[in-house]
Amino acid sequence: MPHTGQCLCGQVRLTVDGEPLGARSCWCRDCQRIASGSATVNVLFPEEAVHYEGEISTIRMTADSGNTVERGFCPQCGAQLYSKTIEPAGMPMRVRAGTLDDPELMAPSATIFVDSAPAWAVMDTTLPRYSRGLDSPLLEESA
Amino acid sequence: MTAPYSGSCNCGAVTVTISAEPVWVRQCWCGQCQKAAAGSATNNALFATDAMTVNGDVAWKGYTAASGNTVEQGFCPSCGTPIFGRNSSRPSSWVVRLGFLDGDHDLKPTTAIWLEEAPEWAMIDPALEQFTRQPPPPPQAP
């Protein structure tokens, strides 16, 4: 069975004919703007498995990682749909968990860009927490 | 930091300045908010609209909430950054999404609402006042 999803207003629909490769929460500053002050929660899929129907607006930006990313959102309701890396190529596509019909399809297994999280952020300390991207230093388990 | 607050979307097309303190700051886990907030809760500071100066175009889209009220999301049409929420029951104030606000403000949620719709893996600060659904309205002035 494919995984399905939609934006807030239903104008954009999503079908994924593949299984998630992982899921993580991202506290980079751009993501906090995207996620209304929270971390984005992203379910990773191979890009070729993800199919959208409907009108999508896109914007390309240089992310805090230094990568060039394309972020997609619904032009009608503003719901954030995905982020994909244009350069370097070959990285999994990040589908925003809230757009999946089953937002609990996969629980986050790591937290990234913890350095830029607000002081009030609550994180699961049993998961690996990276100061920035996945190649950055891990935070020590809290005592 | 206290007022004035300023904010900017990810592409910079919309900026807002706010000359007052918020009425409240809440975190909302309703299903619609999870769609608007990339899978997390929205974090919302309620401000009087007459204290806000908005520069740039804001796109709006509404829906009828479970309460029967019309809820509208305001976002940047260029980059999609969520900026505002407004509710027909509160015509003179809008919420501003906390991620939209710049820098070192000290605003943080004190209440978490609609917890019955939060995902299993949601991390919610136990120190927050918590409601399974909508909190009751404030007492009426005498």
Side-chain angles (χ1 to χ4, degrees), chain A residues 30 33-34 59-61 71 73, chain B residues 6-16 54-58 75-83 99-100 102:
Chain A
D30 283 2
R33 289 197 189 88
I34 288 169
I59 185 164
R60 287 193 182 191
M61 301 186 85
R71 297 179 180 134
F73 61 96
Chain B
S6 61
S8 169
C9 63
N10 267 334
C11 73
V14 181
T15 59
V16 176
V54 181
N55 296 294
D57 290 333
V58 176
F75 59 96
C76 170
S78 298
C79 69
T81 296
I83 303 170
F100 175 83
D102 294 334

Side-chain angles (χ1 to χ4, degrees), chain A residues 24-86:
Chain A
R24 39 185 197 241
S25 304
C26 179
W27 283 101
C28 83
R29 191 63 187 87
D30 283 2
C31 275
Q32 291 176 53
R33 289 197 189 88
I34 288 169
S36 294
S38 291
T40 56
V41 180
N42 301 292
V43 182
L44 281 60
F45 292 102
E47 193 176 322
E48 60 274 15
V50 182
H51 312 284
Y52 284 100
E53 285 175 64
E55 189 190 353
I56 294 178
S57 289
T58 62
I59 185 164
R60 287 193 182 191
M61 301 186 85
T62 303
D64 282 0
S65 60
N67 297 336
T68 303
V69 298
E70 176 187 293
R71 297 179 180 134
F73 61 96
C74 170
Q76 300 297 322
C77 68
Q80 299 286 329
L81 302 169
Y82 67 83
S83 171
K84 65 183 179 186
T85 304
I86 304 300

Side-chain angles (χ1 to χ4, degrees), chain A residues 6-8 29-30 32-39 41 61 73 75-78 80 98-99 104 107-108 120 122-124, chain B residues 8 10 32 34-35 37-41 43 61 73 75 77-80 82 97 99 101 108-109 119-121 123 125:
Chain A
Q6 64 169 63
C7 65
L8 188 54
R29 191 63 187 87
D30 283 2
Q32 291 176 53
R33 289 197 189 88
I34 288 169
S36 294
S38 291
V41 180
M61 301 186 85
F73 61 96
Q76 300 297 322
C77 68
Q80 299 286 329
T99 61
E104 302 194 51
W120 52 264
V122 186
M123 294 176 211
D124 186 338
Chain B
S8 169
N10 267 334
Q32 288 95 340
Q34 291 176 54
K35 282 206 186 298
S40 287
N43 297 277
K61 177 72 176 178
Q73 321 273 350
F75 59 96
S78 298
C79 69
R97 309 302 188 188
L101 293 177
K108 60 180 182 182
E120 195 72 22
W121 44 259
M123 299 297 298
D125 186 340

Side-chain angles (χ1 to χ4, degrees), chain A residues 111-135:
Chain A
T111 309
I112 63 174
F113 284 90
V114 167
D115 275 2
S116 44
W120 52 264
V122 186
M123 294 176 211
D124 186 338
T125 55
T126 66
L127 300 180
R129 288 170 292 152
Y130 295 88
S131 50
R132 295 178 52 84
L134 291 174
D135 54 355

